[in-house]
Amino acid sequence: MPLKNDWQNGDLFTPAAANDMANAVNNFNSLVFDAREYGVIADGAEHNNVANLLDCVAACATAGGGTVLLPAGTIVTSGTNLGTVTADSGNTYTNNGGIPLPQDTPITIAGHGTGVTVLRLSTGFIRAFDFWETGGSYSDVTLRDFTVDRNNILGVNIAPATAVTSGVTLTGGGVWTTLPGISATTFRNAQSVYFLPSGGGTAAGQRYVCRVSGSNFQVLNNASNVTVNSGDTVQASIVAHVIVGNYCNTYLAGINQVIDKVLVENVSAINVAESAGPSLAGNAANRTICIQVNVSPSGSPATVPQVTNFTARNVRMEGGAYGIEVAGSNPNTFLDNIYFADCYHDTGVTPVNNWNSSNFIIGGNAWVNRVGVVRCIGKNSGDVAFEVNQPWTCYEVDCVWEDSWTGVYRTSFGIPARTAAGPPTTTLNNGGTLSSGASSCTVTALPADVQRQGLAKIDSELIWYEV
């Protein structure tokens, strides 16, 4: 897929196919679903907006795709709880804390401009749009022309610091454990919790996914066993994106997902609360846009989990530990054509020590092909301003990084790759065992997309080769 050659003149250097995709989606989205016709009211007051937004997006998905048009004004989502909600139409939906984007459906969510259309979040609705649950594919998704107001929500606003009434062991390996003395009613909107470092148990300082099960409040421990002592304090913690990202009920990441052709442009996020130092832990994973893919622990999926053709353009993010993150959790995931242009992120916290934070990050442990960052500004990161991991090709043009703790960080946790199949591999044959004294070896079949000379990795060693 050829790259454009006119990025020097101010154009983003995305592949031409990405522009063709955007035009095709815009033409398709002539089918418009006006959110006002589904009962969404944008007058800055409380209404049945969560259920009615779910109703509007569901109608768009049922029709095979289109544009969901958000009204001008402030759409307030306060006064809502997780669980079943009923739209004005009488249809019922599950509020999981964000609007799930439909799978395998081209959809545009559009407002009337940043600061003109505002979606104000609440303690029971802390995310705007989700790639929800495990598996599935999402393609041809566009978000544009609106503002998301996080409303300065902290974890303690969702559920306050509360003492556990008796000791308990959080069994590892993916077991749900009930916390004694923690009210399921008080913590009903919590989706993750944080044990304060002052606790005497080994869970102190750790964060866990949680749920309400009947009258019990439970946490999930995917690691090894840890203990909670009587009197240890737990509070709600925000581990979530603000504008768009993966959100899975168990893993908080996109397990076995394929995400392709996503465009986020002319969108802003405001009032994303954050704080420095030890208190940061309650909100350390606030990410404005966070798209991660992971492989299910239970086995390899039929399709490589991947994010391809993702573009963020003219996105302004004020607050939060992270601005935009697109990453894969391990070398069995794949990223390609990831581009940020004219984006701005400021944590709002002057770093006085190193903490979990980044303005822009691409890679993680995934195989990474082509990425680029153009005319972006990052401020006050508690760690890196811009991090990119093992790209095959990376462009960084006319960016400004201010007051970050670490600056720009480039590294390779794995080998770069041009395809989702991973780095090209082949079989060596030199007529026998390759010994330490061998001066040459023969490659039986060199892949066609490998250059005719360069570096090759054999086990842990790098060698220079020529064909």
Side-chain angles (χ1 to χ4, degrees):
M1 187 180 295
L3 298 178
K4 294 177 65 177
N5 296 319
D6 55 354
W7 60 268
Q8 295 95 335
N9 298 322
D11 290 339
L12 180 65
F13 42 82
T14 50
N19 292 329
D20 295 339
M21 173 275 295
N23 292 333
V25 172
N26 290 336
N27 292 334
F28 175 85
N29 286 336
S30 58
L31 187 60
V32 175
F33 295 80
D34 190 331
R36 295 175 300 178
E37 297 179 1
Y38 291 81
V40 175
I41 301 174
D43 62 358
E46 293 187 16
H47 298 283
N48 194 25
N49 283 327
V50 169
N52 291 336
L53 277 171
L54 288 166
D55 203 31
C56 184
V57 173
C60 180
T62 299
T67 294
V68 171
L69 181 62
L70 304 178
T74 299
I75 304 168
V76 174
T77 66
S78 59
T80 188
N81 293 316
L82 303 183
T84 302
V85 292
T86 303
D88 292 354
S89 65
N91 296 327
T92 59
Y93 300 93
T94 299
N95 170 32
N96 288 304
I99 299 292
L101 295 164
Q103 294 187 19
D104 299 310
T105 304
I107 188 170
T108 292
I109 310 289
H112 291 265
T114 55
V116 179
T117 294
V118 179
L119 181 64
R120 182 174 295 162
L121 306 182
S122 65
T123 55
F125 191 82
I126 60 173
R127 309 179 307 276
F129 301 100
D130 297 340
F131 298 110
W132 178 257
E133 281 297 356
T134 60
S137 62
Y138 297 84
S139 183
D140 300 317
V141 175
T142 299
L143 306 176
R144 60 158 55 102
D145 300 326
F146 59 84
T147 292
V148 179
D149 181 355
R150 187 62 170 276
N151 208 16
N152 289 312
I153 299 169
L154 292 167
V156 292
N157 301 131
I158 298 173
T162 305
V164 178
T165 56
S166 61
V168 65
T169 296
L170 306 184
T171 305
V175 175
W176 290 97
T177 304
T178 297
L179 291 183
I182 303 301
S183 167
T185 301
T186 302
F187 278 71
R188 66 186 181 274
N189 285 350
Q191 295 172 318
S192 63
V193 290
Y194 172 65
F195 286 90
L196 299 187
S198 56
T202 56
Q206 300 301 311
R207 190 179 297 104
Y208 298 94
V209 178
C210 60
R211 72 178 184 183
V212 170
S213 177
S215 61
N216 296 321
F217 181 75
Q218 300 179 326
V219 296
L220 177 70
N221 179 14
N222 282 314
S224 57
N225 291 1
V226 294
T227 59
V228 178
N229 291 349
S230 178
D232 285 0
T233 304
V234 63
Q235 70 177 47
S237 174
I238 298 177
V239 182
H241 54 271
V242 179
I243 296 174
V244 67
N246 314 94
Y247 196 91
C248 297
N249 193 35
T250 302
Y251 300 99
L252 306 176
I255 307 298
N256 297 345
Q257 288 182 344
V258 175
I259 299 172
D260 182 42
K261 297 191 282 292
V262 176
L263 173 64
V264 182
E265 66 173 354
N266 302 327
V267 175
S268 63
I270 61 174
N271 298 322
V272 184
E274 200 54 272
S275 57
S279 62
L280 176 70
N283 292 275
N286 269 342
R287 287 158 166 82
T288 311
I289 296 175
C290 182
I291 299 179
Q292 299 185 8
V293 286
N294 196 358
V295 176
S296 170
S298 62
S300 299
T303 304
V304 174
Q306 57 190 274
V307 182
T308 51
N309 302 307
F310 174 89
T311 299
R313 183 186 299 123
N314 193 27
V315 178
R316 185 176 181 88
M317 301 159 286
E318 299 178 11
Y322 286 73
I324 307 177
E325 178 177 4
V326 180
S329 63
N330 57 52
N332 292 319
T333 56
F334 177 65
L335 310 178
D336 188 22
N337 285 347
I338 312 298
Y339 296 102
F340 309 153
D342 300 302
C343 294
Y344 174 96
H345 175 242
D346 185 353
T347 68
V349 180
T350 301
V352 295
N353 62 327
N354 182 232
W355 45 276
N356 187 16
S357 177
S358 180
N359 297 127
F360 303 94
I361 181 169
I362 304 172
N365 289 293
W367 294 319
V368 181
N369 192 5
R370 293 162 293 190
V371 303
V373 178
V374 180
R375 298 182 302 274
C376 289
I377 298 173
K379 296 182 177 182
N380 294 309
S381 170
D383 193 357
V384 292
F386 172 51
E387 176 177 336
V388 59
N389 309 123
Q390 62 272 348
W392 190 282
T393 301
C394 176
Y395 299 92
E396 180 190 350
V397 182
D398 295 334
C399 294
V400 177
W401 315 120
E402 294 183 7
D403 297 325
S404 63
W405 186 261
T406 305
V408 176
Y409 180 63
R410 298 180 178 87
T411 191
S412 292
F413 299 121
I415 303 174
R418 284 189 171 181
T419 70
T425 60
T426 190
T427 301
L428 293 176
N429 182 1
N430 70 330
T433 302
L434 185 61
S435 66
S436 59
S439 60
S440 65
C441 65
T442 299
V443 177
T444 58
L446 192 67
D449 59 350
V450 174
Q451 295 178 351
R452 300 298 94 180
Q453 62 180 16
L455 285 174
K457 183 179 180 182
I458 302 178
D459 294 330
S460 61
E461 296 187 38
L462 291 175
I463 63 169
W464 176 261
Y465 71 89
E466 291 184 349
V467 176

